[in-house]
Amino acid sequence: MRTVAVVGTGLIGTSLALALAGRGLTVHLEDADPDAARTAASLGAGTTEPADGPVDLAIVAVPPALVGKVLADCQRRGLARWYTDVASVKTGPRADVTALGCDTVHYIGSHPMAGRERTGPLAARADLFEGRPWVLTPTEDTDTETLNAALEMVALCGAVPIVMDATAHDRAVALVSHAPQLFSSLVAARLEHADETAVRLAGQGVRDVTRIAGSNPAMWVDILSANAGVVADILEELAADLGDTVTALRALEAADEGERRTGAAGIEAVLRRGNSGQARIPGKHGAPPTRYETVSVVLGDQPGELGRLFGEVGALGVNIEDVAIEHSTGQQVGFVQLSVAPAAVQRLIGALGQHGWSVRE
C-alpha cells in the first residue's frame, strides 16, 4: 500500500494520516471543512491536493450517521481500490451502507480503540494507536484483498487487529466505552453546583473517575445516538445495582443490628464484584493483569523535576510500568505515583532517598 485518502480530518482522521504519512505513504486529505483539512496538512498529515487516480485505500473518518453517505460518494467518485471507516459504532453504519447500495466487497468496517478528551486536528497524535486494539468487522461479502489492506493499515499504525462481528462490537464498546462515558459525566455533574470547599478537596480518586467527563458533548451525542439502545440496557442494569446499593447504605444507618449487618454485606458484595471486574481488565500490552506496587515521590512544582526523577529511576535500571500525578491542594508540590515491579520497591526507595527525594511506599 502506497497511497491513501483520509476523508474527515478530526482527531482520529488526522492522527491516522500522521501515522501513515510518517511511514512514508502519500496521504490525500479531504474534509467538508476545508480549513480543517488545511490545518491537518500543515501538521504534516498529508496534502489537500486530490490524487491523480484511485488511491489504494480510502479511510472514512466521519461520525457514524454520515458513514454511509460519505462512503457512497467516495465509491461513486472511484476514490480508491478499497475502503474502510473508523466510526466507533458499526451496526448502524453497516445498515446505511447496505441501504445505499454501496460496494461491500471492497469495504470493511473498522474501529481503532483510541481517543482523547480533545477533538479536532490540532489534538491529533501520530502515536495515538500504538499498542491499542483495532477492531475489524468484515462481512461475508468482504474479499480477502480488502481485509489485507485493512490489516496493513492497522500494522502501519502500530495497533493490534481484532476481528469481530459488528453487533458484538457494538455491545462491547457500549460496556467498556459508551456507558462509562455517561457514568463519568453523571459523577462529574454532581460537582457542578457543589460547595467550593467540597470541590477543593477533590483528590486522585474523583479525578480518575471524571477524567473522560471533559470530552466533547457534540461528538458523544453522535456516538451515543448510533448505539443508544445497547447503552440504555447497560445503564438499566447499573441503575438496578445502584438501587440495591442505596438500600444497603440506608440499612447501615438502621437501629437494628441485623439490618446493619445486611447492609454491610450488600456493600461488601458490590465492592468485591468491582474487584473481580477490575481484575479482568487487560494489563500491559494486552497481557493478563500484573500486580505492581506503588512508590510515591514528593515532587516540587519546578521545570525539569519530573524528567530528573525519571532519569534517576532509569539509571537504577527500574522500569516504570505506570505513573500518576496527584497535586496537593494549596501547595506547590505533588505526589508522583510510580508503579513498579514488587522486587524493585525497596531498592528504589533506598536509592531515591539517598538522592534527596522524599519517598513513601
Side-chain angles (χ1 to χ4, degrees):
M1 187 160 58
R2 298 179 180 178
T3 58
V4 298
V6 176
V7 184
T9 51
L11 167 66
I12 298 298
T14 303
S15 295
L16 242 170
L18 286 169
L20 296 175
R23 298 300 295 268
L25 277 68
T26 299
V27 181
H28 298 273
L29 304 169
E30 297 185 16
D31 198 289
D33 178 359
D35 287 340
R38 285 192 289 268
T39 298
S42 72
L43 298 172
T47 176
T48 56
E49 293 297 320
D52 294 334
V55 298
D56 293 321
L57 178 67
I59 304 163
V60 176
V62 300
L66 298 179
V67 167
K69 178 182 177 182
V70 173
L71 177 65
D73 175 69
C74 291
Q75 291 186 342
R76 179 185 56 77
R77 293 187 282 133
L79 182 60
R81 297 172 61 192
W82 306 297
Y83 300 85
T84 189
D85 77 274
V86 289
S88 58
V89 178
K90 308 316 310 171
T91 306
R94 175 176 291 182
D96 293 341
V97 165
T98 301
L100 291 168
C102 295
D103 169 16
T104 54
V105 173
H106 301 106
Y107 161 74
I108 182 172
S110 84
H111 176 209
M113 297 296 295
R116 302 183 68 189
E117 294 78 52
R118 298 169 56 202
T119 59
L122 292 175
R125 290 171 32 181
D127 64 351
L128 186 65
F129 312 108
E130 289 185 6
R132 304 305 300 270
W134 193 313
V135 178
L136 302 175
T137 56
T139 67
E140 293 180 356
D141 296 339
T142 305
D143 71 3
T144 302
E145 287 188 343
T146 304
L147 174 60
N148 287 340
L151 287 169
E152 184 177 355
M153 171 191 68
V154 173
L156 288 169
C157 291
V160 180
I162 299 175
V163 177
M164 293 181 70
D165 171 75
T167 302
H169 164 274
D170 287 359
R171 287 197 300 265
V173 294
L175 178 64
V176 302
S177 177
H178 301 169
Q181 171 64 48
L182 284 174
F183 184 73
S184 177
S185 295
L186 288 168
V187 173
R190 301 304 96 204
L191 304 176
E192 183 179 13
H193 302 297
D195 184 87
E196 182 63 27
T197 303
V199 176
R200 286 177 59 83
L201 296 178
Q204 197 59 40
V206 74
R207 294 179 195 276
D208 289 343
V209 171
T210 61
R211 179 182 60 82
I212 57 175
S215 298
N216 183 283
M219 177 190 74
W220 273 100
V221 169
D222 285 337
I223 293 171
L224 293 167
S225 296
N227 207 26
V230 184
V231 177
D233 290 342
I234 292 171
L235 290 183
E236 281 188 344
E237 295 174 0
L238 181 60
D241 280 348
L242 283 173
D244 292 341
T245 302
V246 169
T247 299
L249 288 169
R250 298 298 186 200
L252 287 175
E253 294 184 314
D256 182 75
E257 184 179 347
E259 285 188 53
R260 292 199 300 272
R261 283 199 298 268
T262 300
I267 297 301
E268 182 177 358
V270 74
L271 293 173
R272 290 192 180 280
R273 287 173 59 200
N275 290 160
S276 298
Q278 195 273 341
R280 295 192 63 195
I281 298 173
K284 190 175 179 181
H285 307 311
T290 303
R291 187 179 70 85
Y292 299 116
E293 292 191 15
T294 300
V295 174
S296 293
V297 183
V298 178
L299 193 73
D301 190 14
Q302 298 96 28
E305 283 292 274
L306 189 59
R308 184 166 71 89
L309 174 62
F310 285 174
E312 294 190 7
V313 174
L316 293 169
V318 175
N319 191 46
I320 300 174
E321 306 293 345
D322 201 356
V323 62
I325 301 177
E326 181 176 354
H327 300 280
S328 295
T329 302
Q331 298 184 40
Q332 297 300 309
V333 297
F335 296 99
V336 179
Q337 298 173 337
L338 306 177
S339 296
V340 299
V345 169
Q346 294 305 320
R347 179 163 61 92
L348 181 60
I349 290 175
L352 289 178
Q354 290 175 3
H355 284 80
W357 296 97
S358 178
V359 186
R360 66 183 187 188
E361 185 175 352

